[in-house]
Amino acid sequence: DVKVTQSSRYLVKRTGEKVFLECVQDMDHENMFWYRQDPGLGLRLIYFSYDVKMKEKGDIPEGYSVSREKKERFSLILESASTNQTSMYLCASSLGGRADQDIQYFGAGTRLSVL
Amino acid sequence: DQQVKQNSPSLSVQEGRISILNCDYTNSMFDYFLWYKKYPAEGPTFLISISSIKDKNEDGRFTVFLNKSAKHLSLHIVPSQPGDSAVYFCAASAGGGADGLTFGKGTHLIIQP
């Protein structure tokens, strides 16, 4: 089974703090993704990466950055946390290859509260 | 502008009956569609998918139908079971999974005994 592990289930941070959200996958997947989920808005793509040290902006990258130094690890960084970044953050990975067979597998999520 | 729309925020179905969840999309470049199921405090789990070259895909109790001309897909669950109570997300991708998925806002399915 594919396992996507997010380091924290719950985090509480202060406004202005630098926040790191970590994600590790164990299936040698090429692609990794960060989404946030907010009530009434569904899941929105923040950043994704299709290779080590490669990153691409998603739909809502403002206020975030990412790092992928190793294939299995994808980090989301909030440079200066703000209250509007309070959300559920979801990491996902996919194998890559044929587009019509590429399934994303999700971690359990990190619920971040910025006070 | 919402490219994937799930217009029913919630749906209540009696146990044993058919559940039909609907999804509409506007981007004609979408060529791969997926349904995910999500329980509270858990990540979404993959349920079923369909490529744009097909109009139907079936997996056990779950069937997804795709109508490309109407830009509409639906998920049928037959028979509905209490464990099916969850939020269901429709998602789509264009030209390759590496670009991420575009999700709808979700439909909360409630199966009543």
Side-chain angles (χ1 to χ4, degrees), chain B:
Chain B
D1 185 29
Q2 215 181 330
Q3 297 186 67
V4 177
K5 299 177 184 178
Q6 294 177 256
N7 291 319
S8 298
S10 67
L11 175 67
S12 185
V13 175
Q14 202 166 9
E15 182 179 355
R17 307 293 288 269
I18 182 171
S19 295
I20 301 176
L21 294 91
N22 293 305
C23 178
D24 296 294
Y25 62 96
T26 57
N27 187 344
S28 56
M29 298 300 291
F30 286 146
D31 55 8
Y32 185 48
F33 304 89
L34 306 90
W35 284 94
Y36 283 84
K37 175 181 179 181
K38 187 180 185 297
Y39 294 118
E42 293 184 13
T45 55
F46 169 74
L47 201 54
I48 192 168
S49 64
I50 187 166
S51 166
S52 60
I53 62 172
K54 296 185 176 181
D55 55 18
K56 178 183 174 181
N57 189 24
E58 194 171 353
D59 183 2
R61 296 188 296 117
F62 303 92
T63 304
V64 57
F65 296 92
L66 175 62
N67 182 334
K68 287 188 290 295
S69 61
K71 293 190 176 69
H72 176 84
L73 63 156
S74 60
L75 173 68
H76 292 212
I77 306 173
V78 183
S80 300
Q81 298 175 353
D84 296 331
S85 294
V87 177
Y88 289 79
F89 290 99
C90 172
S93 70
D99 291 340
L101 296 172
T102 301
F103 282 83
K105 293 183 179 182
T107 296
H108 185 194
L109 176 64
I110 301 162
I111 305 302
Q112 296 182 334

Side-chain angles (χ1 to χ4, degrees), chain A residues 9-10 31 33 35 37 40-45 48 50 59 88 90 94 99-109, chain B residues 31-32 34 36 38 41-46 49 51 53 87 89 93 95-106:
Chain A
R9 291 300 303 270
Y10 302 95
N31 306 323
F33 310 84
Y35 296 86
Q37 184 195 1
L41 295 178
L43 279 74
R44 294 178 292 166
L45 182 64
F48 61 98
Y50 52 86
D59 300 319
M88 169 71 88
L90 292 159
S94 71
D100 62 352
Q101 296 178 345
D102 199 36
I103 298 166
Q104 290 187 22
Y105 296 90
F106 284 82
Chain B
D31 55 8
Y32 185 48
L34 306 90
Y36 283 84
K38 187 180 185 297
E42 293 184 13
T45 55
F46 169 74
S49 64
S51 166
I53 62 172
V87 177
F89 290 99
S93 70
D99 291 340
L101 296 172
T102 301
F103 282 83
K105 293 183 179 182

